Amino acid sequence: MPDYDAVVVGSGPNGLSAAIELARNGCSVLVIEANETLGGGVRSKETTLPGYIHDICSTAYPLVVGSPFLSKLPLDQYGLEWINPDLPMAHPLDDGSAAEMHTSVERTANRLGIDSEAYRSLMGPFVDRADDMAPDILAPLQIPSHPILLAQFGLRALLPATLLANRIFKTDHAQALFSGIAAHAFMKLSRPLTAAIGMVLGIYGHRHNWPFVKGGSQNLTDAMVAYFESLGGEIQTNWRVKSLDELPTARATLLDVTPQQVLDLAGDRLPGGLYRRSLKRYRYNPGVFKVDWAVSDPVPWTAEAPRQAGTVHVGGTMREIAISENMTNRGLHPEKPFVLLAQQSLFDSTRAPDGNHTVWGYCHVPNGSTVDMTERIEQQIERFAPGFKETILARSTRFTFDLEAENPNCIGGEINGGVQDIWQHFTRPAPRWSPYRTPMDGVYICSASTPPGGGVHGMSGYHAARAVLSDL
Ligand SMILES: Cc1cc2nc3c(=O)[nH]c(=O)nc-3n(C[C@H](O)[C@H](O)[C@H](O)COP(=O)(O)OP(=O)(O)OC[C@H]3O[C@@H](n4cnc5c(N)ncnc54)[C@H](O)[C@@H]3O)c2cc1C
C-alpha cells in the first residue's frame, strides 16, 4: 500500500488548489514545502518595521475572485476577507491627470473622451459575460463551452497590445491605461497575445475589482491551508525535495514547480525524447526587482485618482512603457522603468500602525539581474508624486536572486512560471494533449508552468488534480 494517494511538492496557490481538490474527493494527501512558511507567491511578512504587513509577492487578486475553482471554496469560513479599493487602478500621466479603471466599464469609458466608445466596445461585451468565459480561458486548450464568445475575444486578444491600442484608441489616457495592464505580460508589447493579458486583467478588474486580502495575502494561504487540513490533508514544511526518489510512496505525485526543477527532481526517471527536450528548451520571463516601503503618509500623487486607487501603474505613456518592456526583454535596465505599485493600507487599516502606510512595488528587470533598481523606481514615483521619498520610514528590497533563494520557482527572479507568448501559452510545459501528465507514471505538473499560466487563480492545480482523479 502506498503511504498516500497523492503527494504534492510545493504549497503555492496551485499546489494547495490541487491538494484541496484531491482531498475533497476523498484522497489522502501530503503537501511538502521547502520553506518554513506556506504559500509560495501568496505570502506576507513584516519585512520593514514591526506592525507593517507587506505582501512580499502577489497582492491584487482579480483572478482569485474570478476563478471558477477558488471562488467556490468556503474560504470565508476560514478567515478570508476581501478588501475592495474604491478605484481598482489608476495610471498617472505627466500633465497631472490620470487614467482611471473603475469597476464600472461605463464610468471608465466616460472619462476617456473620444475613446469612450472604443473602450466600451473593447471591454463591455466580455465583462457582461466574464463568468461564462472564465472556465474557457482559465483552462488548457479544449473545446470551449462558449465558442462564439471566445472567438470574439480571441480576435482581439491574439494581437500585440500596442497594435490593438494604436488601432482603436486615439488618446494617451486610453492607450496608457490598456498598455499598463498588458505590461503584466512581461513581454515586448509588440508581441502577439500581449493584448490578452490587458483584456483578461481588465475584464476581471471590471467584473470583480482588483481586491486585496484583509490583513495580508498570507491570510488567503492560511484559509486554504485550514480548509485543506479540515479535509484531512497533511503538511510538512522545511523539506526542500531534491529528488523524486526521496518522497513517500503515493499513487500520484504532483509537482508545483517549473520545468527546470522537474528535470532536476526527476533525473534519469524522465525518459529522453520530445518531452525532456521541451522541458530543457522551456523559456523564462524577465525577473522583478521588488520593493516594499513603510511610509508615514499616503503617497502624495499630483493627480486625484491614484489617491483613491488600490493599484497604480507608474510609467507614463504607452510609448514609454513599451520601451521599458522592450529593454528588459533585451537584457537592459531602463532608466525609467514601468513600476507596478499597490497601496493596501489606504483601504485596510490592519496593514500599518498609527495611520501610517505600506506601499508595495516592483519593476521588471532582465532575468537574473543583479542591478539595484531602488533609486530608479523611487524616482519614477517622485515624478508623479513629488515628496514621496520624504515619507519613507523604511524599505525592504529584493533582487532577482533573493526571490529565487526564497522560492526556487522564481527562476532568475521571474514570477509567472515561464514566458506566456503565443507558442508557450498553448504548449506549456511541453506540447502534449494533457499538459499536466508527464511521461513518468503517476507524476504530474500542477504549477503556473501549466495552463492557464501565471497569476493566482489555482486553476493549474485544479486541472492537474482533475487529471489525477480521472487516472486514479
Ligand atoms: C513579487 C511578485 C508579485 C506578484 N504579483 C501578483 C499579483 O499581484 N497577482 C497575481 O495574481 N499574481 C501575482 N504574482 C504571481 C503569482 O504569485 C504566481 O503566478 C503564483 O504564485 C504561481 O503559483 P504556483 O503555485 O504555480 O507557484 P508558487 O506560488 O511559486 O509556489 C511554488 C511553491 O513550491 C515550493 N517549492 C519549489 N520547489 C520545491 C522543492 N524542491 N521542494 C519543496 N517545495 C518546493 C516553493 O517554495 C513555493 O512555495 C506575483 C508573484 C511575485 C513573486
Side-chain angles (χ1 to χ4, degrees):
M1 283 289 286
D3 298 324
Y4 295 92
D5 291 320
V7 167
V8 179
V9 177
S11 70
N14 284 313
L16 289 177
S17 293
I20 288 171
E21 181 60 9
L22 291 164
R24 71 177 187 168
N25 279 281
C27 295
S28 58
V29 187
L30 171 69
V31 172
I32 300 173
E33 168 55 50
N35 268 307
E36 196 175 344
T37 47
L38 297 161
V42 184
R43 285 176 297 144
S44 24
K45 221 174 174 178
E46 294 179 344
T47 50
T48 53
L49 299 171
Y52 292 78
I53 299 165
H54 300 284
D55 291 343
I56 55 173
C57 300
S58 59
T59 196
Y61 296 116
L63 297 180
V64 174
V65 283
S67 162
F69 175 67
L70 288 180
S71 67
K72 304 277 181 333
L73 300 182
L75 299 180
D76 52 337
Q77 291 170 28
Y78 297 88
L80 176 65
E81 283 182 61
W82 291 110
I83 296 284
N84 285 301
D86 301 343
L87 182 63
M89 190 268 286
H91 188 130
L93 292 168
D94 280 321
D95 64 1
S97 68
E100 305 167 19
M101 186 180 88
H102 296 265
T103 42
S104 155
V105 175
E106 206 47 41
R107 264 184 96 182
T108 308
N110 286 344
R111 284 168 166 68
L112 292 174
I114 53 169
D115 283 327
S116 295
E117 193 41 47
Y119 191 86
R120 208 174 279 122
S121 53
L122 178 68
M123 293 288 175
F126 303 110
V127 174
D128 292 343
R129 299 195 57 196
D131 296 344
D132 291 339
M133 279 172 66
D136 285 339
I137 56 175
L138 295 176
L141 207 53
Q142 60 182 13
I143 297 167
S145 33
H146 298 90
I148 297 172
L149 182 65
L150 204 66
Q152 288 166 339
F153 170 77
L155 279 176
R156 297 158 175 90
L158 288 172
L159 294 174
T162 40
L163 181 72
L164 179 66
N166 272 320
R167 191 179 280 174
I168 66 172
F169 295 135
K170 307 270 179 299
T171 61
D172 277 350
H173 283 69
Q175 291 186 344
L177 188 76
F178 184 71
S179 59
I181 308 177
H184 286 242
F186 278 84
M187 288 188 278
K188 292 182 184 179
L189 296 181
S190 53
R191 299 284 303 275
L193 208 69
T194 41
I197 304 293
M199 290 192 65
V200 168
L201 294 179
I203 291 166
Y204 288 94
H206 287 302
R207 174 73 185 86
H208 296 290
N209 208 316
W210 281 6
F212 304 128
V213 175
K214 185 171 183 191
S217 298
Q218 189 71 48
N219 289 344
L220 170 57
T221 294
D222 291 352
M224 290 178 77
V225 168
Y227 178 49
F228 171 61
E229 288 180 331
S230 79
L231 298 167
E234 293 176 35
I235 293 181
Q236 172 93 52
T237 53
N238 291 315
W239 180 353
R240 182 161 178 170
V241 178
K242 301 236 164 35
S243 158
L244 295 182
D245 296 335
E246 73 192 66
L247 295 175
T249 55
R251 296 164 76 199
T253 301
L254 293 88
L255 304 176
D256 185 15
V257 307
T258 79
Q260 193 168 305
Q261 298 147 274
V262 175
L263 287 166
D264 292 342
L265 293 175
D268 295 340
R269 276 178 68 177
L270 186 66
L274 177 63
Y275 191 85
R276 179 182 266 277
R277 281 202 303 280
S278 300
L279 295 198
K280 274 191 177 161
R281 283 200 296 254
Y282 191 82
R283 289 166 293 126
Y284 290 89
N285 281 308
V288 306
F289 185 88
K290 178 85 182 65
V291 191
D292 290 296
W293 295 270
V295 291
S296 59
D297 292 287
V299 181
W301 302 105
T302 306
E304 184 55 36
R307 297 176 184 218
Q308 323 291 331
T311 300
V312 184
H313 287 161
V314 186
T317 61
M318 175 167 82
R319 187 164 180 277
E320 284 182 84
I321 297 168
I323 290 172
S324 173
E325 295 309 292
N326 260 351
M327 290 182 74
T328 51
N329 275 278
R330 284 170 45 221
L332 303 168
H333 295 80
E335 208 45 58
K336 293 184 174 180
F338 173 59
V339 178
L340 295 93
L341 182 145
Q343 339 186 82
Q344 301 88 350
S345 59
L346 287 185
F347 312 95
D348 179 1
S349 58
T350 66
R351 297 283 189 130
D354 304 333
N356 291 349
H357 288 277
T358 58
V359 181
W360 171 107
Y362 70 77
C363 74
H364 299 166
V365 289
N367 192 284
S369 160
T370 55
V371 173
D372 186 341
M373 296 294 281
T374 313
E375 178 57 27
R376 295 185 217 191
I377 289 177
E378 290 181 358
Q379 210 44 50
Q380 278 287 67
I381 301 171
E382 279 282 325
R383 178 178 156 196
F384 300 100
F388 167 69
K389 286 188 193 177
E390 284 145 42
T391 69
I392 298 173
L393 302 172
R395 71 169 76 72
S396 123
T397 56
R398 277 138 80 225
F399 290 79
T400 59
F401 48 83
D402 296 319
L403 291 165
E404 188 170 346
E406 279 170 21
N407 177 352
N409 286 30
C410 295
I411 308 271
E414 98 115 90
I415 68 171
N416 275 334
V419 171
Q420 199 142 2
D421 60 9
I422 199 149
W423 170 248
Q424 210 160 264
H425 175 73
F426 294 108
T427 62
R428 61 202 293 125
R432 205 165 168 76
W433 182 244
S434 165
Y436 310 100
R437 297 183 175 93
T438 74
M440 296 173 284
D441 229 12
V443 179
Y444 302 77
I445 304 181
C446 66
S447 71
S449 302
T450 61
V456 180
H457 40 64
M459 293 304 287
S460 304
Y462 167 77
H463 286 296
R466 295 309 308 173
V468 171
L469 288 167
S470 110
D471 291 352
L472 291 186

